[in-house]
Amino acid sequence: EINLQASDGCTALANAAFNGHPAVLLCLLRAGADMALRTADGKTALQIAKEKGHTECVAAVKTFLGEVAAERRDAAAVEAGGAGAGSASGGSSGPVPEEIGAAGGAGAD
């Protein structure tokens, strides 16, 4: 279970963010990890990455969100009769936490 939470609420995604592993974080997101899940103290993986100063992890989240946006644009184009360009993302977009909008300043915190 990719979203399995330990007793402290941590998931594999939260642990990747905490330990500064952007490639693992991106892989988990593409595999469908839910970035809206929170630890027992209420933090998302993105918040953890920002607090720890792991700018590469924040950038990995932004990369994933770019892939999701491209996937949605392609799907809309296909639905409207246009040809979609395809996407490398195989993961689920899932719910997007509020602080994602604030991720625009990755590393600026």
Side-chain angles (χ1 to χ4, degrees):
E1 165 71 47
I2 197 163
N3 291 314
L4 183 66
Q5 290 182 284
S7 59
D8 62 359
C10 283
T11 61
L13 191 65
N15 284 325
F18 183 87
N19 292 301
H21 298 296
V24 174
L25 192 133
L26 186 57
C27 182
L28 288 165
L29 288 170
R30 287 175 175 162
D34 185 349
M35 65 180 152
L37 290 177
R38 295 177 180 270
T39 61
D41 59 353
K43 296 179 182 172
T44 65
L46 179 59
Q47 289 171 322
I48 292 168
K50 284 181 174 181
E51 287 177 8
K52 299 296 275 179
H54 297 308
T55 56
E56 303 87 8
C57 288
V58 174
V61 172
K62 290 175 68 175
T63 295
F64 174 71
L65 292 175
E67 292 171 359
V68 170
E71 204 171 77
R72 289 180 179 171
R73 280 191 303 271
D74 290 348
V78 168
E79 192 171 301
S87 171
S89 174
S92 143
S93 59
V96 178
E98 293 176 14
E99 75 268 9
I100 296 300
D109 295 342

